[in-house]
Amino acid sequence: MVLSDLEICKPTSSSHNKVGISRSGRDLPPAHYLFKIESYSELMNTGVEKYETNVFQAGGYKWRLILYPSGNIKSNGNGYVSLYLAIADTEKLSSGWEVDVNFKLFVFNQKNNNYLTIQDADGTVRKFQEMKTEWGFEQLISLETLLDSSNGYHVEDSCLFGAEVFVISRSGKWESLSMVKEPPHGTFTWKIGKFSTLEETYYHSKSFTVGERDWNLRVYPRGIESERGKGLSVYLQLTDCERFPAKRTVYAKFKLGILDQLNNKYHERTDSHWFRASGNIWGFKKLVALSELYEAAKGYIKDDTVIVEVQILVMSIAKIST
């Protein structure tokens, strides 16, 4: 009998708490331990019930393999090879210790030069603790399959087993992302005086803080680039990007407006952007045409003052544990 490349088997013992077993093939050797047995038949002839390997380290803990060459008869392993992973040197662990592990066991196919990989189905994580120091498979592989040299697992009376052990460590790190509507202090108004005297290409407002992020407004009195001489350009800028981790982004949906001071009403436009270090400014090349800006009836300039405002409608706020 030759095992298929992928085989999901029914549970084989109470030690696996009715979790299925997955068998598959792969070329990559086990990452943590290899255990070669020469003269396997002679080992069986000794009548030894089980053999425990030397200790190896993985995931910050010490482990060993426990092999039942003729099967764990006491636990439904008759006619099979039984193989277990056991945590070692537990007396050095603190009282009440628990170690969560996802592990795989292997049998090398010397004919196909690949590894039969045996693991709990669905990526089940096993908990090693004082009352349960070993987990494994009573029916790892049938003796009939193993000992038939045509299958490739037992060649010149030698076999090779292996293990990979991945400890699930809880670092305590976490991150939460909230999309906050109308965040506190989300409105900022900038009165730009002596507007007719402004000669620089652009000007920045003072900084303001929303959602623990620092922002400002940038205004081009005579327009930016293609809108030069055509429109008033107004942008929202995130100013503290240097404090960002790599690839950190902040989302903002916002309104930018200019106040009609005669009617106390804003001419507004809405947009949104994911702000990042490489793209920390967003807005409108032409919030309003310069021809309209200077039209007295529009009310945008009064006493040589222009009033622009931003209102952040929605903002992403990320909280990260330290």
Side-chain angles (χ1 to χ4, degrees):
M1 178 182 71
V2 179
L3 292 172
S4 62
D5 287 340
L6 178 61
E7 181 179 344
I8 305 296
C9 300
K10 295 180 178 180
T12 59
S13 77
S14 59
S15 71
H16 272 264
N17 298 335
K18 298 184 180 180
V19 173
I21 300 171
S22 170
R23 291 181 170 87
S24 60
R26 82 176 203 193
D27 296 331
L28 192 68
H32 297 123
Y33 199 65
L34 285 171
F35 171 40
K36 184 178 182 179
I37 302 176
E38 297 180 345
S39 303
Y40 191 89
S41 61
E42 290 300 322
L43 177 64
M44 295 177 64
N45 290 338
T46 65
V48 65
E49 180 186 16
K50 63 182 180 180
Y51 178 88
E52 299 188 10
T53 71
N54 195 16
V55 169
F56 64 95
Q57 290 191 345
Y61 295 89
K62 293 182 179 180
W63 311 87
R64 61 166 42 95
L65 293 179
I66 301 177
L67 175 78
Y68 290 74
S70 299
N72 186 352
I73 308 301
K74 299 176 182 178
S75 188
N76 200 32
N78 188 30
Y80 290 83
V81 176
S82 303
L83 185 62
Y84 301 87
L85 174 69
I87 191 167
D89 291 355
T90 57
E91 66 278 1
K92 298 179 181 179
L93 301 178
S94 59
S95 177
W97 62 269
E98 292 182 343
V99 183
D100 293 323
V101 176
N102 179 272
F103 68 94
K104 300 175 183 177
L105 300 180
F106 300 83
V107 187
F108 183 52
N109 190 312
Q110 302 172 61
K111 178 180 178 181
N112 298 328
N113 196 32
N114 62 11
Y115 291 83
L116 173 64
T117 306
I118 304 96
Q119 61 185 320
D120 288 310
D122 301 323
T124 299
V125 174
R126 293 300 183 182
K127 187 180 295 294
F128 290 76
Q129 53 189 339
E130 292 183 20
M131 300 299 294
K132 182 66 176 176
T133 59
E134 63 183 60
W135 288 95
F137 305 98
E138 285 76 19
Q139 298 182 6
L140 183 82
I141 185 173
S142 72
L143 285 170
E144 179 184 359
T145 299
L146 179 79
L147 298 177
D148 185 344
S149 60
S150 65
N151 291 328
Y153 300 112
H154 178 255
V155 176
E156 295 181 356
D157 208 18
S158 70
C159 300
L160 183 64
F161 301 91
E164 276 184 356
V165 183
F166 295 100
V167 174
I168 312 300
S169 299
R170 296 176 179 83
S171 67
K173 298 291 184 180
W174 56 266
E175 177 176 345
S176 68
L177 176 66
S178 302
M179 305 302 287
V180 179
K181 294 183 178 180
E182 298 181 357
H185 313 294
T187 299
F188 174 77
T189 304
W190 182 20
K191 293 184 178 181
I192 309 172
K194 299 181 180 180
F195 190 80
S196 62
T197 67
L198 301 180
E199 297 181 352
E200 299 295 333
T201 303
Y202 60 83
Y203 294 84
H204 286 122
S205 73
K206 68 178 183 180
S207 180
F208 59 95
T209 301
V210 183
E212 300 183 356
R213 299 264 72 95
D214 295 332
W215 309 82
N216 67 19
L217 293 178
R218 181 189 289 187
V219 166
Y220 294 74
R222 294 172 182 80
I224 185 176
E225 298 173 351
S226 61
E227 295 302 319
R228 184 81 172 167
K230 299 178 182 179
L232 178 72
S233 304
V234 183
Y235 293 86
L236 175 65
Q237 182 174 18
L238 182 65
T239 61
D240 60 352
C241 294
E242 69 279 357
R243 295 194 288 133
F244 275 26
K247 299 185 178 181
R248 171 66 65 193
T249 59
V250 175
Y251 173 82
K253 180 180 180 181
F254 57 92
K255 288 181 181 179
L256 287 172
I258 181 170
L259 180 63
D260 171 358
Q261 299 177 60
L262 297 179
N263 298 298
N264 196 33
K265 182 179 180 181
Y266 278 95
H267 166 73
E268 297 174 321
R269 295 181 65 182
T270 303
D271 207 345
S272 62
H273 183 61
W274 283 96
F275 292 82
R276 56 177 57 82
S278 60
N280 68 328
I281 186 168
W282 199 256
F284 302 101
K285 289 184 177 181
K286 185 163 62 177
L287 181 63
V288 64
L290 290 183
S291 59
E292 294 182 15
L293 178 67
Y294 287 101
E295 186 178 337
K298 295 291 187 181
Y300 295 134
I301 300 177
K302 183 180 179 181
D303 299 329
D304 205 19
T305 298
V306 170
I307 301 175
V308 294
E309 183 175 275
V310 61
Q311 180 183 2
I312 297 180
L313 306 173
V314 181
M315 180 179 171
S316 67
I317 298 179
K319 295 183 179 180
I320 304 171
S321 68
T322 57

